[in-house]
Amino acid sequence: MSAAALQAGSLLAVADSRHWVFDMDGTLTEPVHDFDLIRRELDIPPEADILHHLAGLPAQRAAESHAWLMQHERALAEASTPAPGAVALVRALHAGGCHLGILTRNARELAQVTLSAIGLDDCFAAEEIIGRWEVEPKPSPAGLQFFVERWQVTPAAMRMVGDHYYDLATARAAGVPGVLINQHGDPWPDMAQWRARDCAQLLECWQNKATV
Ligand SMILES: [Mg+2]
């Protein structure tokens, strides 16, 4: 069965959580990463997973590649702009006392630069921003398992919101309901629990729940 697009029946269910983990790039921000360019610059095969490929390089080469990647991504982070509804959604969840985490394949340091650029840096504790150096990167479930332990909550009570296949695969591997946003249609059938247009639609769900 394909993911349920957000219709009346699922409006409340998706918002029925106080433990939210967000992907960052392309989920809370407008997508700007050109992964093909990164692969070309770092001599990574077109279909290869970038972080996995770098992990397999000799130490010196891996260090040089990571240094280039950090410099490249820092410029993107500083110029980040919020995705539709992202600031309002995160602010509403934060004001509602929800636990909020970031799980990104970017670096924690750059996630903090990004969150500052879009005006959300006060909504996420530094230790609840999990990047590529804190745990095995997505699609490993390790990041979500970190939040399960930290928040002492069942996976089913959490939500993982993202825009990429890896976010959904991570959620599925950890037993966390995944919410796909900022994608047209249903590019990865059976992978998401719910699909929403964007953060603005998730905010509507949250607000509808609050008024029931
Ligand atoms: Mg993303």
Side-chain angles (χ1 to χ4, degrees), residues 19-23 99-104 128-131 134-162 165-179 191:
H19 300 84
W20 295 74
V21 178
F22 290 90
D23 168 55
H99 292 270
L100 300 176
I102 295 283
L103 180 57
T104 177
E128 293 179 347
I129 299 171
I130 301 302
E134 280 67 52
V135 297
E136 184 183 348
K138 296 180 284 190
S140 163
L144 288 177
Q145 289 163 348
F146 164 85
F147 286 108
V148 167
E149 282 294 311
R150 182 171 178 85
W151 293 337
Q152 292 290 295
V153 65
T154 63
M158 293 168 53
R159 301 290 181 264
M160 170 79 219
V161 183
Y165 176 83
Y166 276 170
D167 300 313
L168 304 179
T170 303
R172 171 163 291 200
V176 172
V179 186
M191 290 301 291

Side-chain angles (χ1 to χ4, degrees), residues 31-44:
V32 291
H33 279 70
D34 182 340
F35 295 108
D36 291 335
L37 178 147
I38 291 171
R39 288 186 178 89
R40 284 197 303 274
E41 290 288 336
L42 296 178
D43 202 18
I44 297 172

